[in-house]
Amino acid sequence: MSAIEELERRNETRFDERAFVDFLKSIEGRSGWDGGRWELIDGVPIDMPPATLRHGAIARVFERLLASALSQNGLPLEATREVGVSHPSDATFRPVADVVVFDPAEEMASGGERFLKSCRLVAEVLSFSTEPYDLVFKRRRYTELPDCRHVLMIEQERMRVRHWSFRNGWAESIYDKPDDRIELPEFGFACIVRDLYTRTDLA
């Protein structure tokens, strides 16, 4: 029986964070469940498909570029991949973001384990199967995070990055030329679009 079928059998179709965490604990280590990673979107547990090689390569490169910039500028922040994010006023939204920048000291103080309480940046590498969630729903919810300053959506079928920043009133900027420059001044970060695709067949 799939995980979704099990949810239907139990008549549990809309979760908050507590129910979602209980569900994740209930399937840890069990065989026969669907693969991928689970996210809570509008109260519905969604089993995301495994990422493509291109998707993973883009996320890894962006994480490393961010981590390097943070370190070189002496900022007490970290970049990481595939981490749960907590929305402060909506317990039915607990996504797993591809790349985030966060303050590890704040997270240790909050005692959070599965979901980051505060993110300075959130980025998603767009997949065909999840693009509507990412662009329409998740992007809007990310801009509601109190400390978030940048949201990026990075396409994997072509060189194209969509960027929303707090500084610009969450207006969208699009970078679709290989030499277009992406700047995140809060993190001392700058790169060109081509840099994000260096380990893919699009480079």
Side-chain angles (χ1 to χ4, degrees):
M1 179 181 293
S2 73
I4 291 297
E5 290 170 335
E6 175 68 7
L7 290 176
E8 292 175 344
R9 183 188 68 79
R10 291 160 55 184
N11 195 31
E12 294 175 351
T13 56
R14 186 172 175 83
F15 284 17
D16 59 10
E17 178 179 323
R18 178 175 295 180
F20 183 50
V21 170
D22 288 345
F23 167 69
L24 294 176
K25 289 179 179 178
S26 75
I27 64 174
E28 286 178 352
R30 293 179 59 180
S31 61
W33 292 92
D34 300 336
R37 67 185 188 187
W38 286 91
E39 301 189 34
L40 186 67
I41 306 297
D42 197 22
V44 179
I46 298 176
D47 188 14
M48 298 295 181
T52 65
L53 292 177
R54 187 187 289 168
H55 182 289
I58 293 168
R60 283 193 299 274
V61 167
F62 191 34
E63 176 200 18
R64 291 169 185 169
L65 290 174
L66 281 167
S68 177
L70 294 171
S71 176
Q72 290 176 11
N73 287 277
L75 297 172
L77 303 172
E78 291 185 7
T80 191
R81 289 188 299 118
E82 297 189 356
V83 63
V85 175
S86 174
H87 191 287
S89 61
D90 186 354
T92 70
F93 181 65
R94 296 294 182 268
V96 176
D98 287 321
V99 181
V100 302
V101 171
F102 70 102
D103 185 334
E106 288 183 4
E107 294 306 317
M108 286 190 292
S110 72
E113 295 181 357
R114 289 184 180 266
F115 306 102
L116 294 178
K117 305 298 183 185
S118 175
C119 298
R120 304 300 198 274
L121 172 148
V122 184
E124 298 281 1
V125 180
L126 296 177
S127 300
F128 179 78
S129 61
T130 61
E131 186 170 324
Y133 289 118
D134 294 338
L135 282 175
V136 177
F137 189 77
K138 291 170 73 173
R139 187 229 4 128
R140 176 173 56 84
R141 305 318 303 272
Y142 288 150
T143 64
E144 296 169 355
L145 301 177
D147 297 316
C148 188
R149 293 298 176 263
H150 297 277
V151 176
L152 293 96
M153 299 286 170
I154 307 169
E155 298 191 20
Q156 64 169 311
E157 301 301 326
R158 56 177 172 168
M159 287 191 187
R160 190 170 190 256
V161 179
R162 303 174 68 171
H163 176 207
W164 293 263
S165 71
F166 177 82
R167 175 174 294 190
N168 293 330
W170 294 118
E172 181 182 14
S173 299
I174 297 177
Y175 313 105
D176 56 7
K177 298 179 178 60
D179 292 324
D180 281 351
R181 188 172 176 85
I182 303 169
E183 295 185 349
L184 309 172
E186 293 89 340
F187 312 128
F189 175 95
C191 76
I192 59 174
V193 171
R194 182 187 295 112
D195 292 338
L196 300 181
Y197 297 85
T198 55
R199 299 206 175 261
T200 75
D201 54 334
L202 297 176

